[in-house]
Amino acid sequence: MNIQDFLNTGDRFAANAGAQLTEVREGYARAEMTVTPEHLNAGGVCQGGAIFTLADLAFAAISNSHGLLTFGLQSTIAFLHSAQVGDTLIAEATETFNHHKIPYVEVKVTNQDGQLISAFTGIAYRTGKTVG
């Protein structure tokens, strides 16, 4: 089982939120989610936790893309623009620094029009154990 299938089936929280990995390769990951009424906060826009979940799924995929079980240590997110019902959100993760133990990742979340919704950064810890 590859990392994309492993996380799409194994990360039940992300799956329940509607987030799904659409591409994973060494050093790159892409995840997508369509905003539904269930994603809205009391202000009528997509709840930040839903956007974070999407970015975190891409972060998990790229961090584990080298085949070693890797867990997030720290992450930050900036919400730059709101998302609405019907928007397709795309999280693209790039590995900025591929350290053998502590990789550094950047994730940009955009909507279907390419508008930047959020910027996420994270560092992770590679355990040395294989994924799966």
Side-chain angles (χ1 to χ4, degrees):
M1 178 180 296
N2 64 33
I3 191 64
Q4 183 172 337
D5 294 336
F6 177 74
L7 289 173
N8 276 338
T9 59
D11 191 328
R12 291 176 293 280
F13 187 86
N16 284 333
Q20 183 175 33
L21 291 163
T22 56
E23 183 179 354
V24 179
R25 61 180 187 270
E26 224 175 76
Y28 176 83
R30 177 183 170 115
E32 297 184 22
M33 176 181 77
T34 300
V35 179
T36 68
E38 289 75 25
H39 292 114
L40 299 185
N41 63 21
V45 296
C46 187
Q47 210 269 352
I51 297 168
F52 184 92
T53 296
L54 178 66
D56 190 54
L57 179 62
F59 173 50
I62 197 169
S63 296
N64 285 278
S65 69
H66 298 278
L68 297 175
L69 186 61
T70 306
F71 295 101
L73 289 175
Q74 182 272 330
S75 57
T76 60
I77 192 166
F79 300 106
L80 305 170
H81 195 273
S82 59
Q84 311 294 323
V85 169
D87 282 347
T88 298
L89 302 182
I90 301 123
E92 289 189 283
T94 54
E95 196 170 55
T96 305
F97 184 63
N98 179 23
H99 188 271
H100 68 284
K101 280 289 187 189
I102 313 283
Y104 180 82
V105 172
E106 296 179 26
V107 182
K108 291 182 180 176
V109 177
T110 58
N111 66 13
Q112 68 281 354
D113 299 322
Q115 184 174 42
L116 186 62
I117 301 297
S118 72
F120 173 110
T121 59
I123 57 172
Y125 176 75
R126 290 197 172 117
T127 65
K129 298 175 185 177
T130 57
V131 175

